[in-house]
Amino acid sequence: MSELNSIELDSSETIQDIALKLVTEQLKNDSHLKVGPSERTIFVLGSKGAGKSTLINRFLDRDDVPRPTLALEYSFGRRTASGQGAQKNICNVWELGSLVNSNQLIEVPFRSHGLATFSAVIVLDLSLPDRLWTDLECVLNGLKQALEKNCSSKEIAEMQEAMRQKVGSDHVDLNTLEVLPFPVIIVGGKYDQFQNLDSEIKKHVCRCLRSIAHAIGAALIFYTSKNTALTKMTRDAMNYLGFGSPSNPFKTTAADHNGPIVIPFGADSWEKIGVTPSNSERIGLNYSSQIPQVGTEKVAIPDDPAKDGGFRERVIDELRALKDEELMRLLKDTEMRMKFEAVQ
């Protein structure tokens, strides 16, 4: 119970409030215990069932069997550089399970770690072209809203300028882009299923993803765990975001819609894509006119996730038990008061 005693509890707080406070406090304590570690943060979010957990497991060298991510999960990777007095490098990894009602959850990584070392990996399901823009738009809107609420305009402007440099200060399209203030890699998951779709559909999907990646200053990779080369490249890309190594994870550039797309930061242009300069809104409208979109998929939530052994968290379970006891006492007090008032 030492974790519970280290934070102040307010009886009006919900389990989610207490959990967030506990995680934030734990991260602060960890930063004091470690001697000057270098920390970075990767936020993995996107389409449900597109392979986010599998991607994270490969990045962190874990053999865990992926299970559905219900809300927001945290994990981390640690690496020590070679050499005497080498610095410890830590990568915080957050995974968002569902895009439904996720606005508050998207804010958590920003509130916990800030913007300076933040990056995002947006994983989309290529096998469902009629959901692709719906999911992507939800992700982009959620990230932008979280930025506005949790980061100062000065910080955003400074980081945005750094990202403009990553795209290329002399890039011909730079003044037409709406670059996000942190590195983003868009991962097109389930490429093994996508490659069997109709050629025209693949052309529209590739044009859309190349356009939006170019517009926000992101890199773009198509991925499937069944392709060794794509798996290695995607893992290298996450290592680049999380640990800064390798310095160039993209060994090639590929833009043919008949094969897996690989577009490094700043390597594309409106001319190469074959479209006029555009923004995310027009890109989405154009894509949706070609491939009509369906709404965001609803998530089937278990009757009581707290009783699901796959979601056990000792500290959170203890807090939940305390809240349950408090609720039962409140119900009994209310019942006794009502009986007393009835007698009077």
Side-chain angles (χ1 to χ4, degrees):
M1 296 293 289
S2 58
E3 293 92 342
L4 300 182
N5 294 331
S6 63
I7 61 173
E8 295 182 3
L9 299 180
D10 184 338
S11 60
S12 65
E13 291 180 314
T14 65
I15 288 293
Q16 183 178 357
D17 294 332
I18 298 172
L20 177 59
K21 180 183 290 187
L22 185 65
V23 170
T24 304
E25 187 69 21
Q26 185 174 354
L27 290 171
K28 288 180 180 178
N29 292 338
D30 289 346
S31 65
H32 291 311
L33 293 174
K34 298 181 178 71
V35 181
S38 171
E39 287 197 29
R40 299 189 185 193
T41 299
I42 298 178
F43 190 13
V44 182
L45 67 172
S47 303
K48 184 177 182 294
K52 299 185 294 295
S53 298
T54 300
L55 202 61
I56 291 172
N57 285 344
R58 289 184 180 275
F59 167 54
L60 298 177
D61 289 321
R62 297 191 309 206
D63 296 324
D64 302 355
V65 177
R67 55 183 172 82
T69 303
L70 185 61
L72 185 67
E73 290 194 4
Y74 170 80
S75 54
F76 68 93
R78 183 186 293 114
R79 179 181 296 177
T80 303
S82 59
Q84 186 175 3
Q87 189 178 39
K88 292 182 179 179
N89 299 316
I90 297 171
C91 179
N92 305 295
V93 183
W94 293 87
E95 180 190 0
L96 183 67
S98 169
L99 297 173
V100 180
N101 299 323
S102 61
N103 289 345
Q104 288 185 331
L105 294 177
I106 290 179
E107 294 180 27
V108 173
F110 288 101
R111 290 159 59 181
S112 300
H113 307 287
L115 183 58
T117 58
F118 181 91
S119 60
V121 174
I122 302 173
V123 186
L124 301 171
D125 190 338
L126 293 176
S127 70
L128 298 174
D130 59 349
R131 306 191 70 91
L132 185 138
W133 181 256
T134 301
D135 290 345
L136 181 54
E137 184 179 39
C138 186
V139 169
L140 294 178
N141 288 340
L143 289 172
K144 290 174 182 177
Q145 290 171 13
L147 271 173
E148 293 173 359
K149 289 185 64 175
N150 296 279
C151 304
S152 68
S153 56
K154 179 181 178 182
E155 185 181 16
I156 292 174
E158 290 175 351
M159 294 303 299
Q160 197 167 33
E161 181 57 33
M163 281 306 303
R164 289 168 67 87
Q165 296 299 317
K166 181 181 285 291
V167 171
S169 56
D170 57 349
H171 195 292
V172 65
D173 296 334
L174 190 60
N175 292 332
T176 67
L177 307 182
E178 45 186 28
V179 178
L180 289 178
F182 50 83
V184 176
I185 295 178
I186 298 176
V187 176
K190 296 188 178 179
Y191 174 72
D192 56 309
Q193 298 179 37
F194 174 76
Q195 63 183 343
N196 298 321
L197 297 182
D198 179 78
S199 179
E200 276 302 304
I201 291 178
K202 292 194 292 185
K203 186 183 297 185
H204 290 313
V205 169
C206 291
R207 184 186 294 122
C208 171
L209 292 182
R210 286 181 63 188
S211 296
I212 197 66
H214 184 51
I216 65 175
L220 173 64
I221 307 175
F222 282 7
Y223 162 80
T224 170
S225 59
K226 298 178 181 180
N227 184 302
T228 304
L230 294 179
T231 297
K232 183 181 185 305
M233 188 177 300
T234 308
R235 188 171 183 271
D236 284 348
M238 293 190 68
N239 273 307
Y240 167 76
L241 294 179
F243 299 107
S245 174
S247 57
N248 180 22
F250 307 101
K251 304 302 183 184
T252 184
T253 299
D256 185 355
H257 70 273
N258 291 309
I261 300 292
V262 180
I263 308 289
F265 292 102
D268 222 338
S269 70
W270 299 123
E271 183 179 2
K272 291 177 182 177
I273 299 170
V275 298
T276 57
S278 191
N279 58 29
S280 56
E281 182 178 0
R282 289 199 297 271
I283 293 168
L285 287 173
N286 183 62
Y287 177 76
S288 299
S289 69
Q290 302 293 335
I291 304 179
Q293 299 292 285
V294 298
T296 303
E297 184 177 2
K298 300 301 181 182
V299 180
I301 300 178
D303 292 337
D304 188 353
K307 297 178 180 178
D308 188 331
F311 297 102
R312 285 177 183 167
E313 293 288 348
R314 183 175 62 84
V315 175
I316 301 301
D317 291 342
E318 291 174 356
L319 291 171
R320 172 65 183 266
L322 288 177
K323 282 291 184 179
D324 285 345
E325 291 177 7
E326 181 181 328
L327 177 61
M328 291 305 298
R329 287 197 301 270
L330 180 61
L331 291 174
K332 288 180 179 179
D333 290 345
T334 302
E335 184 180 1
M336 289 294 293
R337 186 167 60 253
M338 291 176 65
K339 288 181 178 179
F340 179 75
E341 292 174 352
V343 170
Q344 286 185 326

